Amino acid sequence: MTDWTEKYRPTTLSEVRGNNKARDKLKQWADTWEDHGDAVILHGSPGVGKTSAAHALANDMGWPTIELNASDQRTGDVVKRVAGEAAKSGTLTGGTAGRRVVIMDEADNLTHNADRGGSRAITDVVKSANQPLILIANEFYDMSNSLRNACETIEFRNVSARSIVPALRDICRQENIEYESEALEAIAENDSGDLRSAVNDLQAVATTNGKLTRDDVVTGERDTTSGIFDFLDDLIKKQDAEGALKASYDVDETPDNMLNWIEDNLPKDYEGRELADAYGYMANADRWLGRVRATQNYKYWRYAGDNMTAGVAAARQGKKGGWTRYGPPSYWRKLGSSRGKRDTRDYIARKIAEESGISMSTARREVIPFLSAMTHHCKNRELTVAMAAQYDLEEKHVAFVTGSGKTTNKVQSIVEDAEESKAEAAVEHSGGAFEGFASESDGDEPTDDAEADETDDSADESTEAGAADSEPDETKADDGQASFGDFT
Ligand SMILES: Nc1ncnc2c1ncn2[C@@H]1O[C@H](COP(=O)(O)OP(=O)(O)OP(=O)(O)O)[C@@H](O)[C@H]1O
C-alpha cells in the first residue's frame, strides 16, 4: 500500500500547508541566491514540511536536487565534488546551466560525528559552496554557532489544525473516502502541528473502515468539566471500594478515557506495593475494555469499571492526605491516539512482554512510558541502541518509542548499531544493558495476554468470528471476572 505521506507530498511550494512566511522567505532566498550565495537552514519540528518545502522549491526553480545526509562522513567530500563540477560546467561564469541544489538532511545531528570534525567540515563546505545549499534540522540549537552564523535561517512552525484539516480533506476526496468533519478535526488536534503524523493517522483510521467517523479517532483530549478531578481525588485518596465505584457514576467519561486518567495520575500518590496491586487491577480493566472492543459487548464495561475503581481503591493502604495536581493523560494522548499508532505500540509491547516475561498490559502501561522517557529523542544513544537490540525493534518502533516522529537517519543508525550488538551478543551470549523488567504482581502469563490482545485488535477485521459468543476467560478466568464484590 502506498504511503500517503509520500503520495501526497507537495510538488510545488504553493502546496505546502501553513508557514506562509517561511515559504515566502524561502522563495526569496532562492530568487536572490545568485546575489548572496548563502546556504539556508530550515528548522522546526518533525513533520511540518521542511523537506517537502525544499524539494518543492527546487522543483519550482527547475533546479535538480542532490540529497545528502549531513551526518554521513562522506557528505563533505560529495558536496565539494558537486560544487567543483558545477563550477567547471559554467556556474561561475554566470549561467545557471549547472545549477543544482544540495539538500542536506539532519544538519543538527553532527555531534555523533564529532571525531570526524563533522560540524566543522560542513561549516567549511557551507562557506565555500558555490551551489545553493539547504540544510534541514529539527533542533536549531543542536547546531554549532559557526554553522548557524554561516547560513540564513528560516523557521518552520508547527502546522495549525486550521491548516491540517483542509489537507486531510483533500486527501479524503482524492481517495474517495467518506468522512465526518469532526473526525478530521480530531486527528488534526491530536497531532498538534505535525502534518506528517496527521496524514499517517488518517491513513491508519481510514483504510480500516468504510466511512470515517469521529468515533474512529480515539483521543484523550477532553474538556475537563466532567467531574474527573473530584473523582480522582476520591478514588486515589479517600474512598473505599464501594465509595469509589459510586463516585465513578458521576464522571462523564468513557471507561477507556477514565482508565487513561487513572493510570496517569495514580503514581502521583500510590507507591510500592499498593501501586503494583493497583496496576494489576488496571491491567484487568484494560483487558475487559479490549473485550468490549473485540465483541462489542458493552456488558463488560462493568467489569472494567469495577476493576479500575473498586479494585484501585482496594489496593490503597490507608487514606491519603494533601492536595495533588492531577492532570489529563498526556502520554497516551500523544502516543495512543490512532489505530496505526496503537498497532505499533502493541507490537513493541508484545516484544517486551515476550522478552521480559511480563504481560502486554504491563509492558504497555509501565514499561513503554519509562523507555519513552529515558530514550526521548534518542538523546541517550547508548541506551536507545540497547533497547532496540534487547527488544528487537525496527526503525518505526524506535521512532515511536523515542518520539522521533519518523525513521530519521539517527534512528536508522541506532537500529544498525543494535543489529551489530545483537550479532555480538549472540556470540558472547550476554544479555546487554537491558535485563528486562520485573514480573508484575498478578503473575500473568505473557503469552496468554498477548493472545488476548490479538483478539482485541484482529476483531476489527472480524477474523475472530466466534469472539462474540466465546467466554472471555481463555486468559484468566478468576481475576478477569472480578466484580465489585471481590474488593470488599
Ligand atoms: N506543510 C506541509 N504541507 C503539506 N504536506 C506536508 C506538510 N508537512 C508535512 N507534510 C506531509 O508530511 C510528509 C513529511 O513531511 P516532511 O518530510 O516535509 O517534514 P519535515 O518537516 O521535513 O520533517 P522531518 O524534519 O521529520 O524530515 C510530507 O510528505 C507530506 O505528506
Side-chain angles (χ1 to χ4, degrees):
M1 197 191 341
T2 26
D3 182 341
W4 287 359
T5 58
E6 286 313 319
K7 187 168 173 190
Y8 295 104
R9 187 182 274 281
T11 52
T12 149
L13 258 190
S14 60
E15 285 169 8
V16 174
R17 309 273 178 168
N19 278 306
N20 292 358
K21 268 199 204 141
R23 274 161 31 192
D24 290 348
K25 233 177 132 183
L26 183 59
K27 182 74 172 57
Q28 173 89 10
W29 168 84
D31 285 339
T32 58
W33 186 83
E34 298 288 339
D35 307 327
H36 57 73
D38 288 336
V40 67
I41 297 174
L42 311 185
H43 65 99
S45 303
V48 298
K50 303 177 296 293
T51 312
S52 300
H55 285 277
L57 171 81
N59 194 29
D60 289 348
M61 301 295 292
W63 291 346
T65 57
I66 295 170
E67 239 185 308
L68 296 170
N69 186 284
S71 62
D72 188 317
Q73 58 173 325
R74 291 157 302 188
T75 289
D77 295 339
V78 175
V79 174
K80 277 185 200 138
R81 215 182 56 230
V82 171
E85 267 177 29
K88 271 184 251 142
S89 61
T91 316
L92 292 182
T93 56
T96 54
R99 178 73 68 245
R100 302 167 194 200
V101 59
V102 178
I103 301 174
M104 219 187 272
D105 211 357
E106 301 216 17
D108 51 350
N109 190 18
L110 299 168
T111 33
H112 184 51
N113 229 358
D115 49 338
R116 304 173 193 133
S119 181
R120 191 143 42 81
I122 297 295
T123 310
D124 289 347
V125 162
V126 158
K127 285 184 177 157
S128 62
N130 52 5
Q131 291 291 348
L133 249 160
I134 303 179
L135 279 71
I136 298 185
N138 292 336
E139 306 287 341
F140 187 52
Y141 291 100
D142 279 2
M143 284 181 288
S144 73
N145 255 331
S146 44
L147 180 54
R148 279 184 272 136
N149 290 336
C151 302
E152 251 190 72
T153 58
I154 301 179
E155 181 185 0
F156 275 67
R157 293 172 181 271
N158 288 355
V159 187
S160 68
R162 212 162 19 114
S163 302
I164 292 182
V165 171
L168 301 179
R169 203 185 298 137
D170 278 359
I171 295 178
C172 285
R173 290 194 180 129
Q174 294 186 59
E175 295 286 331
N176 278 322
I177 288 162
E178 261 192 288
Y179 61 89
E180 287 179 5
S181 296
E182 294 81 40
L184 305 188
E185 284 156 23
I187 295 174
E189 274 156 27
N190 243 357
D191 284 304
S192 59
D194 180 342
L195 187 41
R196 184 204 345 262
S197 295
V199 173
N200 275 334
D201 282 357
L202 176 68
Q203 184 167 18
V205 292
T207 48
T208 49
N209 293 287
K211 181 179 177 179
L212 176 62
T213 70
R214 173 67 185 76
D215 288 344
D216 293 326
V217 186
V218 182
T219 58
E221 193 104 56
R222 322 224 102 221
D223 63 342
T224 50
T225 53
S226 52
I228 187 78
F229 289 106
D230 289 340
F231 165 68
L232 286 174
D233 205 57
D234 272 346
L235 172 74
I236 297 177
K237 294 217 161 92
K238 306 186 191 117
Q239 294 288 350
D240 60 10
E242 188 176 2
L245 183 63
K246 285 213 183 102
S248 72
Y249 299 151
D250 295 333
V251 182
D252 182 21
E253 291 284 345
T254 63
D256 294 76
N257 273 320
M258 199 142 98
L259 189 72
N260 285 338
W261 277 90
I262 299 170
E263 83 176 342
D264 251 41
N265 289 292
L266 203 55
K268 294 176 184 169
D269 287 306
Y270 274 43
E271 49 192 10
R273 181 79 226 165
E274 56 186 0
L275 185 58
D277 289 348
Y279 273 135
Y281 290 118
M282 304 281 286
N284 291 343
D286 194 40
R287 225 168 287 139
W288 282 112
L289 293 177
R291 281 162 200 156
V292 174
R293 280 195 294 275
T295 62
Q296 298 296 308
N297 186 342
Y298 291 91
K299 147 181 126 196
Y300 299 143
W301 265 0
R302 216 195 105 205
Y303 301 125
D306 284 352
N307 273 287
M308 73 178 93
T309 60
V312 167
R316 179 175 2 90
Q317 295 165 356
K319 291 193 177 168
K320 303 202 178 286
W323 182 83
T324 309
R325 181 187 296 279
Y326 297 121
S330 54
Y331 176 73
W332 294 123
R333 187 172 63 219
K334 282 206 291 245
L335 294 186
S337 54
S338 76
R339 259 189 211 145
K341 286 181 187 170
R342 280 209 304 269
D343 288 348
T344 305
R345 184 191 74 191
D346 287 348
Y347 171 91
I348 301 166
R350 182 164 298 133
K351 287 285 186 188
I352 295 173
E354 284 165 2
E355 189 63 34
S356 311
I358 56 175
S359 75
M360 270 192 59
S361 326
T362 304
R364 248 194 329 236
R365 191 180 308 292
E366 297 176 50
V367 181
I368 298 180
F370 267 127
L371 291 176
S372 204
M374 292 191 298
T375 62
H376 189 57
H377 282 174
C378 312
K379 286 272 187 254
N380 187 338
R381 196 173 186 284
E382 210 180 327
L383 188 68
T384 313
V385 171
M387 171 185 77
Q390 179 78 15
Y391 299 127
D392 214 6
L393 303 184
E394 291 162 23
E395 286 168 19
K396 82 172 177 190
H397 309 124
V398 173
F400 175 89
V401 177
T402 58
S404 303
K406 65 158 190 176
T407 55
T408 56
N409 287 75
K410 205 191 285 184
V411 167
Q412 218 170 15
S413 76
I414 282 170
V415 171
E416 281 164 14
D417 286 2
E419 294 295 332
E420 261 176 46
S421 88
K422 271 190 282 185
E424 283 164 20
V427 178
E428 293 168 22
H429 93 280
S430 119
F434 265 84
E435 295 299 345
F437 285 76
S439 288
E440 65 177 356
S441 56
D442 63 358
D444 266 354
E445 284 302 312
T447 37
D448 281 353
D449 198 49
E451 272 161 26
D453 252 83
E454 224 132 46
T455 313
D456 299 351
D457 290 330
S458 58
D460 293 330
E461 275 81 47
S462 63
T463 47
E464 289 283 328
D469 328 301
S470 71
E471 272 304 314
D473 56 0
E474 328 106 333
T475 48
K476 284 204 74 196
D478 340 355
D479 79 18
Q481 304 263 8
S483 74
F484 171 59
D486 300 348
F487 306 114
T488 49

